[in-house]
Amino acid sequence: QVQLVESGGGSVQAGGSLRLSCTASGYINRRLCMGWFRQAPGKEREGVASIDSGGSTSYADSVKGRFTISQDNAKTTLYLQMNSLKPEDTAMYYCAAEPSWYCSRTYTYWGQGSQVTVSS
């Protein structure tokens, strides 16, 4: 079992920055893919970024060059640095984890979500 708790959301004006954190506890080992997802009202959940066991990252086209996913060496904290925020980035952001060497569309463990609101 893996427990995930997000923090760091809030409200910011367009062009601003926020950093989300996700603290992981439970059965944490090297074989863990972690990712960030978001869901805006009335829209489907979408993947934002992921990082696999080897540290390779992947980003949605909509956030490339603006968002950066990272984690600490112990894999207990996942981060999402969000720069040049746009109103369309407004959503509930979720941290997710899957016990796998590589990332896929499947994530077993999810956090409770952290709201990000970007005003124009």
Side-chain angles (χ1 to χ4, degrees):
Q1 293 284 338
V2 176
Q3 294 80 42
L4 304 171
V5 178
E6 300 98 335
S7 61
S11 297
V12 66
Q13 289 191 327
S17 298
L18 284 174
R19 188 177 79 159
L20 299 179
S21 298
C22 173
T23 301
S25 60
Y27 187 67
I28 308 296
N29 61 26
R30 293 189 303 120
R31 190 176 65 96
L32 194 68
C33 162
M34 298 190 76
W36 289 99
F37 289 76
R38 66 186 181 187
Q39 187 167 19
K43 294 187 177 181
E44 292 188 355
R45 185 175 63 196
E46 64 172 342
V48 175
S50 65
I51 183 166
D52 70 15
S53 300
S56 295
T57 59
S58 178
Y59 296 92
D61 288 342
S62 58
V63 305
K64 279 181 182 176
R66 300 189 298 122
F67 290 12
T68 303
I69 188 172
S70 63
Q71 63 186 169
D72 66 350
N73 290 336
K75 298 184 184 293
T76 57
T77 307
L78 181 72
Y79 302 100
L80 185 67
Q81 178 66 44
M82 303 182 291
N83 299 328
S84 302
L85 282 161
K86 304 175 181 179
E88 50 264 44
D89 294 318
T90 295
M92 184 71 79
Y93 283 72
Y94 298 91
C95 170
E98 175 65 20
S100 173
W101 290 114
Y102 302 104
C103 294
S104 69
R105 296 180 182 271
T106 301
Y107 287 83
T108 300
Y109 303 104
W110 293 83
Q112 82 288 350
S114 183
Q115 179 67 39
V116 171
T117 302
V118 184
S119 58
S120 56

